[in-house]
Amino acid sequence: MKRQSDEAGAAQFAATLAADEKIEPRDWIPEGYRQTLIRQMAQHAHSEVIGMQPEGNWITRAPTLQRKAILIAKVQDEAGHGLYLYSAAETLGTSRDELVDLLHKGKQKYSSIFNYPTLSWADMGAIGWLVDSAAIVNQIALQRTSYGPYARAMVRICKEESFHARQGYSIMMALSKGTDVQREMMQDAIDRWWWPSLMMFGPPDAESTNTAQSMEWKIKLYTNDELRQEFINQTVPQAHYLGATVPDPDLTFDEESGNWNIGAIDWDEFWAVVKGNGPLNRQRIAHKLKAWEENAWVREAASAYAAKRSRDRIEATA
Ligand code: 3HC
């Protein structure tokens, strides 16, 4: 296929964006667009995979067989989300192994939220309800992102995330209707997960180094603060329905805008966690590395099997 000149390619790229159509792997792509997508999609995939750890920690301690089965299904879903996203990122000319190596070396990030400990069963509810709802708010927007493979990966991920959020809220509902101790567990988990969930949407727009360009390229359709506000408006009434208190003494409802206005987010905490100094950053990566090394045999066996299948197919047609 004749390679498009950069001028023609850039014009086509701009026209595709302007028409709100999808950029596809075969299209001419500016290097900055490609690098931004690799950075964001890799971070998204890494988040899904590291995000398996906090919840995996409670599979053996689920209170009932049904809750255990649901949590196993959710954790397995997250692994699948990671694989979709690595596969989507590979359409940009990178490889899953390369991205995983960058994660292991601390050269790529994953979501700050997964560096917090899960201290009780109520945390499974808070993560499902708050963290997955936050992910859904962000990912519904990403279903319309300009890069085709990323947008399409979001469609199936969003469907599965809805189950994740529902099962989390179901746990919180059960606790809210339980004993005083269970209600205290529920409130304690909300107290610990509320603010880190708000931080998932990234720094305030004024401090976001990537938002302006990502909006211009329609990688992002909304800013960090816009998505954060949507999440807050959605979850505060849900917390009140649980009979829970949102841990923000400055929380007020603005009748005119219809927004719940929050107090100050501790951005020092956010940046400390992003920079590797959160409660469990080191443990999360250490666990990831240990699992990567211990399960190398699975990758080798799968590769050997795939190679044999490929040889058999060639011999069969020779
Ligand atoms: N955790 C870690 N780093 C974060 C962060 C967070 N919550 N929010 C922002 N950052 C980093 C950014 O990566 C960027 O650093 P970099 O330039 O070195 O990569 C810096 O802080 C400045 O932030 P920006 O707002 O400029 O960065 P972005 O434009 O990339 O916006 C984002 C950040 C909103 C998280 C965006 O990357 C995004 O929408 N990513 C896709 C969604 C995603 O990754 N979600 C993670 C959760 S997945 C999940 O929850 C799984 C679910 O199943 C539970």
Side-chain angles (χ1 to χ4, degrees):
M1 185 171 82
K2 188 169 149 322
R3 183 165 164 62
Q4 218 171 9
S5 72
D6 284 357
E7 295 71 37
Q12 181 57 51
F13 177 79
T16 304
L17 285 187
D20 281 332
E21 288 169 5
K22 295 295 178 234
I23 303 293
E24 297 296 341
R26 65 176 178 279
D27 294 338
W28 183 94
I29 290 177
E31 186 56 16
Y33 179 84
R34 192 176 78 86
Q35 288 302 332
T36 297
L37 279 167
I38 288 175
R39 174 186 64 82
Q40 178 167 327
M41 292 166 75
Q43 184 165 325
H44 201 157
H46 298 331
S47 301
E48 302 280 4
V49 172
I50 297 286
M52 294 162 70
Q53 292 187 35
E55 290 169 313
N57 183 27
W58 277 87
I59 287 174
T60 56
R61 296 183 279 175
T64 67
L65 179 60
Q66 187 201 27
R67 290 292 185 194
K68 178 186 284 223
I70 291 171
L71 190 56
I72 288 173
K74 181 192 191 295
V75 171
Q76 283 176 323
D77 280 350
E78 308 300 9
H81 296 174
L83 298 188
Y84 298 150
L85 287 159
Y86 285 131
S87 299
E90 287 185 326
T91 64
L92 289 158
T94 182
S95 76
R96 188 195 317 177
D97 282 355
E98 191 181 331
L99 298 178
V100 169
D101 188 51
L102 289 169
L103 170 69
H104 289 167
K105 288 178 178 156
K107 295 188 181 340
Q108 279 187 340
K109 298 180 170 75
Y110 58 91
S111 188
S112 50
I113 191 73
F114 297 120
N115 290 307
Y116 291 83
T118 48
L119 304 179
S120 82
W121 172 253
D123 289 43
M124 295 305 101
I127 289 178
W129 166 44
L130 291 174
V131 174
D132 286 67
S133 292
I136 290 170
V137 167
N138 174 288
Q139 290 167 167
I140 284 178
L142 284 172
Q143 286 182 128
R144 293 191 290 126
T145 190
S146 58
Y147 189 57
Y150 196 19
R152 291 187 289 271
M154 284 299 109
V155 173
R156 178 167 172 176
I157 287 178
C158 283
K159 287 187 171 75
E160 291 174 345
E161 292 292 6
S162 303
F163 145 63
H164 298 172
R166 289 291 302 274
Q167 65 85 37
Y169 198 68
S170 157
I171 290 172
M172 299 305 262
M173 285 285 284
L175 293 170
S176 72
K177 294 175 181 153
T179 63
D180 289 350
V181 169
Q182 287 171 323
R183 276 193 292 278
E184 281 162 27
M185 270 174 65
M186 172 191 75
Q187 185 62 57
D188 167 61
I190 294 171
D191 292 348
R192 284 183 289 106
W193 290 94
W194 172 254
W195 291 104
S197 298
L198 300 188
M199 296 174 194
M200 282 176 69
F201 292 92
D205 294 346
E207 291 176 35
S208 171
T209 44
N210 298 297
T211 289
Q213 182 60 71
S214 289
M215 296 280 288
E216 201 178 304
W217 280 329
K218 297 185 180 177
I219 292 171
K220 275 183 166 179
L221 281 302
Y222 303 93
T223 70
N224 298 355
D225 289 334
E226 286 169 340
L227 291 179
R228 194 177 354 258
Q229 187 60 64
E230 184 181 335
F231 170 74
I232 291 162
N233 290 346
Q234 166 186 307
T235 40
V236 168
Q238 292 170 344
H240 292 163
Y241 186 78
L242 291 169
T245 304
V246 174
D248 177 358
D250 299 320
L251 182 72
T252 54
F253 184 68
D254 178 339
E255 294 287 347
E256 200 176 318
S257 64
N259 286 337
W260 284 94
N261 295 329
I262 62 169
I265 294 177
D266 181 349
W267 292 114
D268 291 341
E269 175 185 332
F270 169 76
W271 288 116
V273 176
V274 169
K275 291 186 171 95
N277 301 312
L280 289 175
N281 294 54
R282 290 168 191 74
Q283 290 88 329
R284 294 295 187 226
I285 288 299
H287 184 93
K288 175 70 174 67
L289 274 170
K290 182 168 178 287
W292 180 261
E293 284 148 15
E294 284 178 355
N295 297 304
W297 68 272
V298 177
R299 295 193 297 279
E300 286 154 20
S303 304
Y305 176 71
K308 182 179 179 317
R309 285 280 302 268
S310 168
R311 279 196 308 276
D312 292 351
R313 268 199 297 276
I314 292 166
E315 281 160 20
T317 54

